[in-house]
């Protein structure tokens, strides 16, 4: 039960800490994180545990230090296989994987890796917009000049063609930039999965599913037709 509680506590703390903002907001966010946790899951953390975790910024990762220590204590007490067994090594390996995954998620949020494709697409979008604006302006100027007869009537017969070219250039100059801007917006959202609301990873749903899976596994483990394995001598 304690191991499951520590795992869920770490997931909730990580979820509540993944919020963008400046440094002042992050400082206040760390204080509000615990109040939000007490409102959402009031019995998930004990008062003495909260007092210890409040001193550290990355408390969601330090919880797994308690998990590893508790697993060692359980092994010495005979509740799980001894330390020399492959089962114990596998359990510790799972703890290390969980700790490493949490640090990877936090690093992804704090350290923004250079996204070359996004920068290349941004340059392409801006250059394309400039060229479309110049091209549409030239076609518009030529059409207006012929329509007003300022060319002395030399190209009066070409007016229908110029109008059609103007309409085509208008469509090209409007549709293509919108498509490029949409692609640019999508790439920026994908490169920052914890910033934008529309593209944010549904971590809240994952945590609730995790809690439900743990509860179901506990019920299934407590209702078996055979005796539970014991390792005490």
């Amino acid at each position: 039960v304690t191991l499951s509680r520590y795992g869920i506590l770490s997931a909730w703390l990580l979820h509540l800490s993944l919020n963008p903002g400046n440094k002042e907001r992050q400082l206040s966010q760390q204080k509000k994180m615990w109040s939000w946790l007490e409102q959402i899951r009031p019995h998930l953390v004990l008062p003495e545990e909260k007092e210890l975790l409040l001193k550290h910024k990355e408390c969601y990762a330090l919880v797994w230090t308690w998990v590893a220590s508790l697993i060692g204590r359980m092994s010495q007490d005979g509740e799980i296989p001894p330390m020399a067994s492959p089962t114990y090594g596998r359990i510790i390996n799972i703890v290390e994987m969980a700790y490493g995954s949490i640090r990877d998620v936090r690093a992804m949020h704090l350290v923004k890796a250079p996204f070359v494709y996004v920068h290349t697409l941004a340059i392409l979008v801006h250059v394309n917009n400039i060229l479309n604006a110049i091209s549409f302006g030239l076609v518009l100027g030529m059409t207006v000049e012929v329509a007003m007869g300022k060319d002395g009537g030399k190209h009066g017969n070409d007016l229908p063609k110029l109008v059609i070219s103007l309409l085509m250039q208008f469509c090209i100059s409007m549709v293509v930039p919108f498509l490029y801007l949409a692609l640019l917006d999508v790439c920026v959202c994908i490169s920052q999965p914890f910033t934008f609301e529309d593209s944010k990873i549904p971590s809240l749903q994952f945590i609730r599913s995790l809690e439900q899976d743990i509860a179901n596994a506990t019920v299934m483990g407590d209702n078996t037709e055979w005796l539970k394995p014991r390792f005490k001598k």
Side-chain angles (χ1 to χ4, degrees):
V1 177
T2 304
L3 290 177
S4 301
R5 183 171 61 84
Y6 282 163
I8 297 174
L9 173 62
S10 177
W12 274 109
L13 291 176
L14 178 62
H15 168 69
L16 295 175
S17 64
L18 292 177
N19 290 291
N22 51 26
K23 294 183 179 180
E24 296 180 357
R25 182 180 176 182
Q26 289 178 358
L27 293 176
S28 61
Q29 190 73 22
Q30 186 177 2
K31 297 178 181 179
K32 294 179 181 179
M33 180 177 62
W34 287 97
S35 62
W36 293 342
L37 180 63
E38 293 176 352
Q39 295 176 5
I40 300 173
R41 292 292 184 270
H43 305 293
L44 193 59
V45 60
L46 301 179
E48 56 272 17
E49 295 173 348
K50 177 182 176 182
E51 183 178 356
L52 292 174
L53 293 174
L54 274 173
K55 301 177 182 179
H56 305 281
K57 182 178 180 181
E58 296 184 354
C59 52
Y60 46 84
L62 296 177
V63 172
W64 291 94
T65 304
W66 291 350
V67 173
S69 177
L70 180 58
I71 290 176
R73 182 72 266 173
M74 293 173 64
S75 177
Q76 293 181 354
D77 295 341
E79 299 181 12
I80 61 175
M83 294 183 179
S85 64
T87 305
Y88 179 85
R90 175 57 180 166
I91 295 174
I92 294 298
N93 187 26
I94 294 175
V95 174
E96 292 179 354
M97 291 173 59
Y99 179 78
S101 299
I102 289 178
R103 296 303 297 263
D104 291 340
V105 171
R106 189 58 179 174
M108 184 185 302
H109 177 67
L110 294 177
V111 181
K112 302 299 181 183
F115 199 176
V116 179
Y117 178 70
V118 174
H119 298 298
T120 304
L121 185 59
I123 296 174
L124 178 62
V125 168
H126 295 313
V127 172
N128 181 75
N129 290 341
I130 294 173
L131 295 178
N132 283 333
I134 295 174
S135 178
F136 181 75
L138 293 175
V139 176
L140 179 61
M142 293 170 56
T143 305
V144 171
E145 182 181 7
V146 174
M148 297 181 64
K150 293 186 177 181
D151 61 340
K154 297 179 181 180
H155 302 87
N157 297 330
D158 297 333
L159 183 60
K161 297 181 180 179
L162 291 174
V163 173
I164 295 175
S165 299
L166 179 63
L167 294 176
M168 293 296 297
Q169 189 65 34
F170 176 78
C171 295
I172 296 175
S173 300
M174 292 296 294
V175 175
V176 176
F178 279 138
L179 293 177
Y180 276 125
L181 289 174
L183 291 175
L184 178 61
D185 193 17
V186 170
C187 292
V188 172
C189 291
I190 293 176
S191 65
Q192 300 179 3
F194 302 105
T195 303
F196 299 96
E197 189 67 27
D198 296 335
S199 62
K200 184 177 294 186
I201 295 176
S203 55
L204 183 59
Q205 298 180 9
F206 293 158
I207 296 176
R208 296 190 185 277
S209 299
L210 173 64
E211 293 179 340
Q212 187 64 34
D213 292 341
I214 292 176
N216 295 336
T218 303
V219 173
M220 294 297 294
D222 294 338
N223 294 275
T224 57
E225 298 179 356
W226 53 86
L227 296 177
K228 296 181 179 180
R230 296 182 179 179
F231 304 95
K232 294 183 180 180
K233 296 181 180 180

